[in-house]
Amino acid sequence: MKYFIMSDIHGNLEALESALEVIERRGSGKIVVLGDIVGYMCNPNECIEKVKNFDCIKGNHDYAVVNREMLGWFNENAKKALLWTISKLEYEKIEFLDLLPYVRNYEGFTVVHGDITAPEKFNYIKGDRGILRINFEKMEKNVLLVGHTHYPCVFVRNNTGKISHVYDLNSRMNLDVETCKYIINVGSVGQPRDGDKRGCFVMFDDENMSIEYVRFEYDIFKTAQKMIENHMPEMLYKRLYIGR
Ligand code: ZN
């Protein structure tokens, strides 16, 4: 079966719609959303409406909308955008975010927003060996898909325990789940930070065990215009043009 796995939409409706168009052209499959549906961009209600029937899990921005004492976690720009988001969200949308699970398990893989050792704490999996090691140990399935950093990457642990980082994400990658474990960051639909301004998601095929990173263009100008009209911090819309 084909899975289209996306994360960190952050209220960016233009990016989400473009992603869904690309997915539709690629045929049928299951869409899984790894959290942070809201925060930063200006269409939180519309984005929730579009993804509410997919398999979604909770991100830290989704969590903070409901648990406002957590707003202290965020930097000034993110907090400003979240307060704006809270002021615009319809009640039923807040309820939807509140009820999202932290983790979902599928036959051959698990999804979580941050890390699997403490899903409700939203820790980051970056390059730290210690954090990678405990995550690989805690994984019950051989494949873990995450979001949160907005940075697409793949970490592999082979059967000798050696952990490596895959840099070429441009071609399809076959997963050797008989001997290796994988932590796959699917990047961000709505606010990429790897220097590529195009949105990003992953197509995962659990029959031939392969993944493919899919990049897509969207109308950044339109997204930014809405942010300007709503007095969002300048840094938050300028970054969309450079993907940082
Ligand atoms: Zn995020």
Side-chain angles (χ1 to χ4, degrees), residues 109-197:
F109 65 99
T110 301
V111 298
V112 68
H113 186 67
D115 93 328
I116 198 66
T117 68
E120 71 290 349
K121 286 194 174 150
F122 303 107
N123 297 321
Y124 289 90
I125 300 179
K126 292 180 178 166
D128 185 284
R129 295 284 131 171
I131 290 171
L132 281 167
R133 203 166 297 123
I134 52 171
N135 270 277
F136 277 120
E137 262 157 40
K138 186 94 195 278
M139 284 164 61
E140 285 167 19
K141 316 272 178 179
N142 287 335
V143 179
L144 176 68
L145 292 121
V146 301
H148 201 25
T149 63
H150 300 209
Y151 202 98
C153 63
V154 178
F155 296 102
V156 190
R157 193 189 76 176
N158 70 13
N159 53 0
T160 68
K162 186 173 169 278
I163 296 171
S164 55
H165 186 175
V166 178
Y167 291 98
D168 179 21
L169 304 177
N170 292 317
S171 52
R172 215 182 69 171
M173 182 180 166
N174 293 313
L175 307 181
D176 176 13
V177 288
E178 299 301 319
T179 58
C180 297
K181 276 185 162 185
Y182 295 86
I183 297 175
I184 298 160
N185 191 306
V186 302
S188 169
V189 164
Q191 192 199 69
R193 294 180 190 163
D194 61 331
D196 184 338
K197 65 183 190 302

Coordinates of all heavy atoms in Angstrom, one line a residue, residues 109-197:
F109 N 5.3 0.2 10.4 CA 5.9 1.5 10.9 C 5.1 2.2 11.9 O 3.9 1.9 12.2 CB 6.2 2.4 9.6 CG 4.9 2.9 8.9 CD1 4.4 4.1 9.2 CD2 4.2 2.0 8.0 CE1 3.3 4.6 8.5 CE2 3.1 2.5 7.4 CZ 2.6 3.8 7.6
T110 N 5.8 3.2 12.5 CA 5.2 4.0 13.6 C 5.4 5.5 13.1 O 6.3 5.8 12.5 CB 5.9 3.8 14.9 OG1 5.8 2.4 15.2 CG2 5.3 4.6 16.0
V111 N 4.4 6.3 13.5 CA 4.6 7.8 13.3 C 4.5 8.6 14.6 O 3.7 8.2 15.4 CB 3.6 8.3 12.2 CG1 3.8 7.7 10.9 CG2 2.2 8.2 12.7
V112 N 5.3 9.6 14.7 CA 5.2 10.5 15.9 C 5.8 11.9 15.4 O 6.5 11.9 14.5 CB 6.1 9.9 17.0 CG1 7.6 9.9 16.7 CG2 5.9 10.6 18.4
H113 N 5.3 12.9 16.1 CA 5.8 14.3 15.6 C 7.3 14.5 16.0 O 8.0 14.9 15.1 CB 4.9 15.4 16.3 CG 5.2 16.7 15.8 ND1 5.0 17.1 14.5 CD2 5.8 17.8 16.4 CE1 5.3 18.4 14.3 NE2 5.9 18.8 15.4
G114 N 7.6 14.3 17.2 CA 9.0 14.6 17.7 C 9.9 13.4 17.8 O 10.6 13.0 16.9
D115 N 9.8 12.7 19.0 CA 10.6 11.5 19.1 C 9.8 10.4 19.9 O 8.8 10.7 20.5 CB 12.0 11.7 19.8 CG 12.0 11.6 21.3 OD1 10.9 11.9 21.9 OD2 13.0 11.2 21.8
I116 N 10.2 9.2 19.8 CA 9.4 8.1 20.3 C 9.6 7.8 21.7 O 8.8 7.1 22.4 CB 9.6 6.8 19.4 CG1 8.5 5.8 19.6 CG2 10.9 6.1 19.7 CD1 7.1 6.2 19.1
T117 N 10.7 8.4 22.3 CA 10.9 8.1 23.7 C 10.0 8.8 24.6 O 9.6 8.3 25.7 CB 12.4 8.4 24.1 OG1 12.5 9.9 24.1 CG2 13.4 7.8 23.2
A118 N 9.5 10.0 24.2 CA 8.5 10.7 25.0 C 7.7 11.6 24.1 O 7.9 12.8 24.0 CB 9.2 11.6 26.0
P119 N 6.7 10.9 23.4 CA 6.0 11.7 22.3 C 5.3 12.9 22.8 O 5.2 13.9 22.1 CB 4.9 10.6 21.9 CG 5.5 9.3 22.2 CD 6.3 9.5 23.5
E120 N 4.9 13.0 24.1 CA 4.2 14.2 24.6 C 5.1 15.3 24.9 O 4.7 16.4 25.3 CB 3.3 13.8 25.8 CG 4.0 13.4 27.0 CD 4.7 12.1 27.0 OE1 4.6 11.3 26.1 OE2 5.5 11.9 28.0
K121 N 6.4 15.0 24.8 CA 7.4 16.1 25.2 C 7.9 16.8 23.9 O 8.6 17.8 24.0 CB 8.6 15.5 25.9 CG 8.2 15.2 27.4 CD 9.4 14.9 28.2 CE 9.0 14.8 29.7 NZ 10.0 13.9 30.4
F122 N 7.7 16.3 22.8 CA 8.1 16.9 21.5 C 9.6 17.2 21.4 O 10.0 18.3 21.1 CB 7.3 18.1 21.2 CG 5.8 17.9 21.2 CD1 5.0 18.3 22.3 CD2 5.2 17.2 20.2 CE1 3.6 18.1 22.3 CE2 3.8 16.9 20.2 CZ 3.0 17.4 21.2
N123 N 10.4 16.2 21.8 CA 11.9 16.3 21.6 C 12.2 16.3 20.2 O 11.5 15.7 19.4 CB 12.6 15.2 22.4 CG 12.3 15.2 23.8 OD1 12.3 16.2 24.5 ND2 12.1 14.0 24.4
Y124 N 13.4 16.9 19.9 CA 13.8 16.9 18.4 C 14.8 15.7 18.2 O 15.7 15.5 19.0 CB 14.5 18.2 18.1 CG 13.6 19.4 18.1 CD1 13.3 20.1 19.2 CD2 13.0 19.8 16.9 CE1 12.5 21.2 19.2 CE2 12.2 20.9 16.8 CZ 11.9 21.6 18.0 OH 11.1 22.7 17.9
I125 N 14.6 15.1 17.1 CA 15.7 14.2 16.6 C 16.5 14.9 15.5 O 16.0 15.1 14.4 CB 15.1 12.9 16.0 CG1 14.2 12.1 17.0 CG2 16.2 12.0 15.5 CD1 13.6 10.8 16.5
K126 N 17.7 15.3 15.9 CA 18.6 15.9 14.9 C 19.7 15.0 14.7 O 19.5 13.8 14.4 CB 19.0 17.3 15.4 CG 17.8 18.3 15.5 CD 18.2 19.7 16.0 CE 17.0 20.6 16.0 NZ 17.3 21.8 16.7
G127 N 20.9 15.4 14.8 CA 22.0 14.5 14.6 C 22.6 13.8 15.8 O 23.5 13.0 15.8
D128 N 22.1 14.2 17.0 CA 22.7 13.7 18.3 C 22.6 12.2 18.4 O 21.6 11.6 18.4 CB 21.9 14.4 19.4 CG 22.6 14.0 20.8 OD1 22.4 12.9 21.3 OD2 23.2 14.9 21.3
R129 N 23.9 11.6 18.5 CA 24.0 10.1 18.5 C 23.2 9.5 19.7 O 22.6 8.5 19.5 CB 25.4 9.7 18.6 CG 26.3 10.1 17.4 CD 26.0 9.2 16.2 NE 25.7 10.0 15.1 CZ 25.6 9.6 13.8 NH1 25.7 8.3 13.5 NH2 25.4 10.5 12.8
G130 N 23.3 10.1 20.9 CA 22.6 9.6 22.0 C 21.1 9.5 21.9 O 20.5 8.5 22.2
I131 N 20.6 10.6 21.4 CA 19.1 10.6 21.1 C 18.7 9.7 20.0 O 17.7 8.9 20.2 CB 18.7 12.1 20.8 CG1 18.8 13.0 22.0 CG2 17.3 12.1 20.2 CD1 18.7 14.4 21.8
L132 N 19.5 9.6 19.0 CA 19.3 8.6 17.9 C 19.3 7.2 18.5 O 18.4 6.4 18.2 CB 20.3 8.7 16.8 CG 20.1 9.9 15.8 CD1 21.3 10.1 15.0 CD2 18.8 9.6 14.9
R133 N 20.3 6.9 19.3 CA 20.4 5.5 19.8 C 19.2 5.1 20.7 O 18.7 4.1 20.5 CB 21.7 5.4 20.6 CG 22.2 4.0 20.8 CD 23.7 4.0 21.3 NE 24.6 4.6 20.4 CZ 25.4 5.6 20.7 NH1 25.4 6.1 21.9 NH2 26.2 6.1 19.8
I134 N 18.8 6.0 21.6 CA 17.7 5.6 22.4 C 16.4 5.5 21.6 O 15.5 4.7 21.9 CB 17.4 6.5 23.7 CG1 17.4 7.9 23.3 CG2 18.5 6.2 24.7 CD1 16.9 8.8 24.5
N135 N 16.3 6.3 20.6 CA 15.1 6.2 19.7 C 15.1 4.9 18.9 O 14.1 4.2 18.9 CB 15.0 7.4 18.7 CG 14.2 8.5 19.3 OD1 12.9 8.5 19.3 ND2 14.8 9.4 20.0
F136 N 16.2 4.5 18.4 CA 16.3 3.2 17.6 C 16.0 2.1 18.6 O 15.4 1.1 18.2 CB 17.7 3.0 17.0 CG 17.9 3.7 15.7 CD1 18.8 4.7 15.5 CD2 17.0 3.4 14.6 CE1 19.0 5.4 14.3 CE2 17.2 4.0 13.4 CZ 18.1 5.0 13.2
E137 N 16.5 2.2 19.8 CA 16.2 1.1 20.8 C 14.7 1.0 21.2 O 14.2 -0.1 21.3 CB 17.0 1.3 22.1 CG 18.3 0.5 22.1 CD 19.3 1.1 23.0 OE1 19.0 1.6 24.1 OE2 20.5 1.2 22.6
K138 N 14.1 2.1 21.3 CA 12.7 2.1 21.7 C 11.7 1.7 20.6 O 10.6 1.3 20.9 CB 12.4 3.6 22.2 CG 11.0 3.8 22.8 CD 11.0 3.7 24.4 CE 9.7 3.5 25.0 NZ 8.9 4.8 25.1
M139 N 12.2 1.8 19.4 CA 11.3 1.5 18.2 C 10.9 0.1 18.2 O 11.7 -0.8 18.3 CB 12.0 1.8 16.9 CG 12.1 3.3 16.6 SD 13.3 3.7 15.3 CE 12.7 2.7 13.9
E140 N 9.6 -0.2 18.2 CA 9.1 -1.6 18.1 C 9.0 -2.0 16.6 O 9.1 -3.2 16.3 CB 7.7 -1.7 18.7 CG 7.8 -1.7 20.3 CD 6.5 -1.4 21.0 OE1 5.5 -1.7 20.3 OE2 6.6 -1.0 22.1
K141 N 8.8 -1.1 15.7 CA 8.8 -1.4 14.3 C 10.1 -0.9 13.7 O 10.8 -0.1 14.4 CB 7.7 -0.6 13.6 CG 6.4 -0.6 14.3 CD 5.5 -1.7 13.9 CE 4.2 -1.7 14.7 NZ 3.3 -2.8 14.3
N142 N 10.4 -1.4 12.5 CA 11.8 -1.0 12.0 C 11.8 0.3 11.3 O 12.9 0.8 10.9 CB 12.2 -2.1 11.0 CG 12.6 -3.4 11.8 OD1 13.0 -3.3 13.0 ND2 12.5 -4.5 11.2
V143 N 10.6 0.9 11.1 CA 10.6 2.2 10.5 C 9.8 3.2 11.4 O 8.7 2.9 11.8 CB 9.9 2.1 9.1 CG1 9.8 3.5 8.4 CG2 10.6 1.1 8.2
L144 N 10.4 4.4 11.6 CA 9.8 5.4 12.4 C 9.8 6.7 11.5 O 10.8 7.1 11.0 CB 10.5 5.7 13.7 CG 10.0 6.9 14.5 CD1 8.7 6.6 15.1 CD2 11.0 7.2 15.6
L145 N 8.6 7.3 11.3 CA 8.5 8.5 10.5 C 8.2 9.7 11.5 O 7.3 9.6 12.3 CB 7.4 8.4 9.4 CG 7.8 7.4 8.4 CD1 6.8 6.3 8.2 CD2 8.1 8.0 7.0
V146 N 8.9 10.7 11.3 CA 8.8 11.9 12.2 C 8.7 13.2 11.4 O 9.0 13.2 10.2 CB 9.9 12.0 13.2 CG1 10.0 10.7 14.1 CG2 11.3 12.2 12.5
G147 N 8.4 14.3 12.1 CA 8.4 15.6 11.5 C 9.2 16.6 12.4 O 10.3 16.2 12.8
H148 N 8.6 17.7 12.8 CA 9.1 18.6 13.8 C 10.2 19.5 13.5 O 10.2 20.7 13.8 CB 9.4 17.8 15.1 CG 9.4 18.5 16.4 ND1 8.7 19.7 16.6 CD2 10.0 18.2 17.6 CE1 8.9 20.1 17.9 NE2 9.7 19.2 18.5
T149 N 11.3 19.0 12.9 CA 12.5 19.8 12.6 C 12.3 20.6 11.3 O 13.0 21.5 11.0 CB 13.8 19.0 12.4 OG1 13.6 18.1 11.3 CG2 14.0 18.2 13.7
H150 N 11.3 20.2 10.4 CA 11.1 20.7 9.1 C 12.3 20.5 8.2 O 12.5 21.2 7.2 CB 10.9 22.3 9.1 CG 9.7 22.7 9.9 ND1 9.0 23.8 9.6 CD2 9.1 22.1 11.0 CE1 8.0 24.0 10.5 NE2 8.0 23.0 11.4
Y151 N 13.1 19.4 8.5 CA 14.3 19.2 7.8 C 14.3 17.7 7.3 O 14.5 16.8 8.2 CB 15.5 19.4 8.7 CG 16.8 19.7 7.9 CD1 17.2 21.0 7.7 CD2 17.5 18.6 7.4 CE1 18.4 21.2 7.0 CE2 18.7 18.8 6.7 CZ 19.1 20.1 6.5 OH 20.3 20.3 5.7
P152 N 14.1 17.5 6.0 CA 14.0 16.1 5.6 C 15.4 15.4 5.7 O 16.4 15.9 5.4 CB 13.7 16.2 4.1 CG 14.0 17.6 3.7 CD 13.9 18.4 4.9
C153 N 15.3 14.2 6.3 CA 16.6 13.4 6.4 C 16.2 12.0 6.8 O 15.1 11.7 7.3 CB 17.6 14.0 7.4 SG 17.0 14.1 9.0
V154 N 17.2 11.1 6.6 CA 17.0 9.7 7.0 C 18.2 9.2 7.8 O 19.3 9.4 7.4 CB 16.9 8.8 5.7 CG1 16.8 7.3 6.1 CG2 15.7 9.2 4.8
F155 N 17.9 8.6 9.0 CA 18.9 8.0 9.8 C 18.7 6.5 9.7 O 17.6 6.0 9.8 CB 18.8 8.4 11.2 CG 19.1 9.9 11.4 CD1 18.0 10.8 11.6 CD2 20.4 10.4 11.4 CE1 18.2 12.2 11.7 CE2 20.6 11.8 11.5 CZ 19.5 12.7 11.7
V156 N 19.9 5.8 9.6 CA 19.8 4.3 9.5 C 20.7 3.7 10.5 O 21.8 4.1 10.8 CB 20.4 3.8 8.1 CG1 20.1 2.4 7.9 CG2 19.8 4.7 6.9
R157 N 20.2 2.6 11.2 CA 21.0 1.8 12.1 C 21.1 0.4 11.5 O 20.0 -0.2 11.3 CB 20.4 1.8 13.5 CG 21.4 1.2 14.5 CD 20.7 1.0 15.9 NE 19.9 -0.3 15.8 CZ 19.3 -0.8 16.9 NH1 19.4 -0.2 18.0 NH2 18.6 -1.9 16.8
N158 N 22.3 0.0 11.2 CA 22.4 -1.4 10.6 C 22.5 -2.4 11.7 O 22.5 -2.1 12.9 CB 23.6 -1.4 9.6 CG 24.9 -1.4 10.3 OD1 25.0 -1.5 11.5 ND2 26.0 -1.1 9.5
N159 N 22.7 -3.7 11.3 CA 22.7 -4.8 12.3 C 23.9 -4.8 13.2 O 23.9 -5.6 14.2 CB 22.4 -6.1 11.7 CG 23.4 -6.4 10.5 OD1 24.3 -5.6 10.3 ND2 23.2 -7.6 9.9
T160 N 24.9 -4.1 13.0 CA 26.0 -4.0 13.9 C 25.8 -2.8 14.9 O 26.7 -2.6 15.8 CB 27.4 -3.8 13.1 OG1 27.4 -2.4 12.6 CG2 27.6 -4.8 12.0
G161 N 24.8 -2.1 14.7 CA 24.5 -1.0 15.6 C 25.0 0.4 15.1 O 24.9 1.4 15.8
K162 N 25.7 0.3 14.0 CA 26.3 1.6 13.4 C 25.1 2.5 12.9 O 24.3 2.0 12.1 CB 27.2 1.2 12.3 CG 28.0 2.4 11.7 CD 29.1 1.9 10.7 CE 29.7 3.1 10.0 NZ 28.8 3.6 8.9
I163 N 25.2 3.7 13.2 CA 24.2 4.7 12.8 C 24.8 5.6 11.7 O 25.8 6.2 11.9 CB 23.7 5.6 13.9 CG1 23.0 4.7 15.0 CG2 22.7 6.7 13.4 CD1 22.6 5.4 16.3
S164 N 24.1 5.7 10.6 CA 24.5 6.6 9.5 C 23.4 7.5 9.1 O 22.2 7.3 9.4 CB 25.1 5.8 8.4 OG 24.2 4.9 7.9
H165 N 23.8 8.5 8.3 CA 22.8 9.5 7.8 C 22.8 9.5 6.3 O 23.9 9.6 5.7 CB 23.4 10.9 8.4 CG 22.6 12.1 8.1 ND1 22.9 13.3 8.6 CD2 21.4 12.2 7.5 CE1 21.9 14.2 8.3 NE2 21.0 13.5 7.6
V166 N 21.7 9.4 5.7 CA 21.6 9.4 4.2 C 21.5 10.8 3.7 O 20.6 11.5 4.1 CB 20.4 8.5 3.8 CG1 20.3 8.5 2.3 CG2 20.5 7.1 4.3
Y167 N 22.3 11.2 2.8 CA 22.3 12.6 2.3 C 21.6 12.7 1.0 O 21.0 13.8 0.7 CB 23.7 13.1 2.2 CG 24.4 13.3 3.5 CD1 25.2 12.4 4.1 CD2 24.1 14.5 4.3 CE1 25.8 12.6 5.3 CE2 24.6 14.6 5.5 CZ 25.5 13.7 6.0 OH 26.0 13.9 7.3
D168 N 21.6 11.7 0.1 CA 20.9 11.8 -1.1 C 19.5 11.5 -1.0 O 19.1 10.3 -1.0 CB 21.6 11.0 -2.2 CG 20.9 11.1 -3.6 OD1 20.2 12.2 -3.7 OD2 21.0 10.3 -4.4
L169 N 18.6 12.5 -1.0 CA 17.2 12.2 -0.8 C 16.5 12.4 -2.2 O 15.3 12.5 -2.2 CB 16.6 13.1 0.3 CG 17.3 12.9 1.6 CD1 16.6 13.9 2.6 CD2 17.2 11.5 2.2
N170 N 17.3 12.5 -3.2 CA 16.6 12.9 -4.5 C 16.1 11.7 -5.3 O 15.3 11.8 -6.1 CB 17.6 13.6 -5.4 CG 17.9 15.0 -4.8 OD1 17.0 15.7 -4.4 ND2 19.2 15.4 -4.8
S171 N 16.6 10.5 -4.9 CA 16.2 9.3 -5.7 C 15.4 8.4 -4.7 O 15.4 8.6 -3.5 CB 17.3 8.6 -6.3 OG 18.3 8.3 -5.3
R172 N 14.7 7.5 -5.3 CA 13.9 6.6 -4.5 C 14.9 5.7 -3.6 O 15.9 5.4 -4.1 CB 13.1 5.7 -5.4 CG 11.7 5.3 -4.7 CD 10.9 4.4 -5.6 NE 11.6 3.1 -5.7 CZ 11.0 2.1 -6.2 NH1 9.8 2.2 -6.8 NH2 11.6 0.9 -6.2
M173 N 14.5 5.5 -2.4 CA 15.4 4.7 -1.5 C 14.7 3.4 -1.1 O 13.6 3.4 -0.6 CB 15.7 5.6 -0.3 CG 16.6 5.0 0.7 SD 16.8 6.1 2.0 CE 17.6 5.0 3.2
N174 N 15.4 2.3 -1.3 CA 14.8 1.0 -0.8 C 15.3 0.8 0.6 O 16.4 1.0 1.0 CB 15.3 -0.1 -1.7 CG 14.8 0.0 -3.1 OD1 13.6 0.2 -3.3 ND2 15.6 -0.1 -4.1
L175 N 14.3 0.4 1.4 CA 14.6 0.1 2.8 C 14.9 -1.4 3.1 O 14.1 -2.2 2.7 CB 13.4 0.6 3.7 CG 12.9 2.0 3.5 CD1 11.7 2.3 4.5 CD2 14.0 3.0 3.7
D176 N 16.0 -1.7 3.7 CA 16.3 -3.0 4.0 C 15.9 -3.3 5.4 O 16.7 -3.3 6.4 CB 17.8 -3.2 3.8 CG 18.3 -4.6 4.2 OD1 17.4 -5.5 4.4 OD2 19.5 -4.8 4.3
V177 N 14.6 -3.6 5.6 CA 14.1 -3.7 7.0 C 14.5 -5.0 7.7 O 14.2 -5.2 8.8 CB 12.6 -3.5 7.1 CG1 12.3 -2.0 6.9 CG2 11.8 -4.3 6.1
E178 N 15.0 -6.0 6.9 CA 15.5 -7.2 7.5 C 16.7 -7.0 8.4 O 16.8 -7.6 9.4 CB 15.9 -8.2 6.4 CG 14.7 -8.6 5.4 CD 13.5 -9.2 6.2 OE1 13.7 -10.0 7.1 OE2 12.4 -8.8 5.8
T179 N 17.5 -6.1 8.0 CA 18.8 -5.9 8.8 C 18.9 -4.5 9.4 O 19.8 -4.3 10.2 CB 20.0 -6.1 7.9 OG1 20.0 -5.2 6.8 CG2 20.1 -7.5 7.4
C180 N 18.1 -3.5 8.9 CA 18.3 -2.1 9.4 C 17.0 -1.6 10.0 O 15.9 -2.0 9.7 CB 18.7 -1.2 8.3 SG 20.3 -1.7 7.5
K181 N 17.2 -0.5 10.8 CA 16.1 0.3 11.3 C 16.2 1.7 10.7 O 17.4 2.2 10.6 CB 16.1 0.4 12.8 CG 15.5 -0.8 13.5 CD 15.4 -0.6 15.1 CE 14.4 -1.5 15.7 NZ 14.3 -1.3 17.2
Y182 N 15.1 2.4 10.5 CA 15.1 3.7 9.9 C 14.3 4.7 10.6 O 13.2 4.4 11.1 CB 14.5 3.6 8.5 CG 15.3 2.7 7.5 CD1 15.1 1.3 7.5 CD2 16.3 3.2 6.7 CE1 15.8 0.5 6.6 CE2 17.0 2.4 5.8 CZ 16.8 1.1 5.8 OH 17.5 0.3 4.9
I183 N 14.9 5.9 10.8 CA 14.1 7.1 11.3 C 14.1 8.0 10.1 O 15.2 8.5 9.6 CB 14.8 7.7 12.5 CG1 14.8 6.7 13.7 CG2 14.0 9.0 12.9 CD1 15.5 7.2 14.9
I184 N 12.9 8.3 9.6 CA 12.7 9.1 8.4 C 12.0 10.4 8.8 O 10.9 10.4 9.2 CB 11.9 8.3 7.4 CG1 12.7 7.1 7.0 CG2 11.6 9.2 6.1 CD1 11.8 6.0 6.4
N185 N 12.7 11.5 8.6 CA 12.0 12.8 8.8 C 11.4 13.3 7.5 O 12.2 13.4 6.5 CB 13.0 13.9 9.3 CG 12.3 15.1 9.8 OD1 11.5 15.7 9.0 ND2 12.5 15.5 11.0
V186 N 10.1 13.5 7.4 CA 9.4 13.7 6.2 C 9.5 15.2 5.7 O 8.9 15.5 4.7 CB 7.9 13.3 6.2 CG1 7.9 11.8 6.6 CG2 7.1 14.1 7.2
G187 N 10.2 16.0 6.5 CA 10.3 17.5 6.1 C 9.0 18.2 6.4 O 8.1 17.7 7.2
S188 N 8.8 19.3 5.8 CA 7.6 20.1 6.0 C 6.8 20.5 4.8 O 7.4 20.9 3.8 CB 8.0 21.4 6.8 OG 7.0 22.3 6.9
V189 N 5.5 20.4 4.8 CA 4.7 20.9 3.7 C 4.7 22.4 3.7 O 4.8 23.0 2.6 CB 3.2 20.3 3.9 CG1 2.2 21.1 3.0 CG2 3.2 18.8 3.5
G190 N 4.4 23.0 4.8 CA 4.1 24.5 4.9 C 5.3 25.4 5.2 O 5.1 26.6 4.9
Q191 N 6.4 24.9 5.7 CA 7.5 25.8 6.0 C 8.8 25.1 6.0 O 9.5 24.8 7.0 CB 7.3 26.4 7.4 CG 8.2 27.6 7.7 CD 8.3 27.8 9.2 OE1 8.8 27.0 10.0 NE2 7.7 28.9 9.7
P192 N 9.3 24.7 4.8 CA 10.6 23.9 4.7 C 11.7 24.7 5.2 O 11.7 26.0 5.1 CB 10.7 23.7 3.2 CG 9.4 23.9 2.6 CD 8.7 24.9 3.5
R193 N 12.7 24.1 5.8 CA 13.9 24.8 6.4 C 15.2 24.2 5.9 O 16.2 24.4 6.6 CB 13.8 24.7 7.9 CG 12.6 25.5 8.5 CD 12.6 25.4 10.0 NE 11.4 25.9 10.6 CZ 11.0 25.7 11.8 NH1 11.7 24.9 12.6 NH2 9.8 26.2 12.3
D194 N 15.2 23.5 4.8 CA 16.4 22.8 4.4 C 17.0 23.6 3.2 O 17.9 23.1 2.5 CB 16.2 21.4 4.0 CG 15.2 21.2 2.8 OD1 14.3 22.1 2.7 OD2 15.3 20.2 2.1
G195 N 16.6 24.8 3.0 CA 17.2 25.6 1.9 C 16.5 25.5 0.6 O 16.8 26.1 -0.4
D196 N 15.4 24.6 0.6 CA 14.6 24.4 -0.7 C 13.2 24.9 -0.3 O 12.6 24.4 0.6 CB 14.6 22.9 -1.0 CG 13.9 22.6 -2.3 OD1 13.1 23.4 -2.7 OD2 14.1 21.5 -2.9
K197 N 12.8 26.0 -1.0 CA 11.5 26.6 -0.7 C 10.3 25.7 -1.0 O 9.2 26.0 -0.6 CB 11.4 28.0 -1.3 CG 11.4 28.0 -2.8 CD 11.4 29.4 -3.3 CE 11.1 29.6 -4.7 NZ 11.5 29.4 -5.8

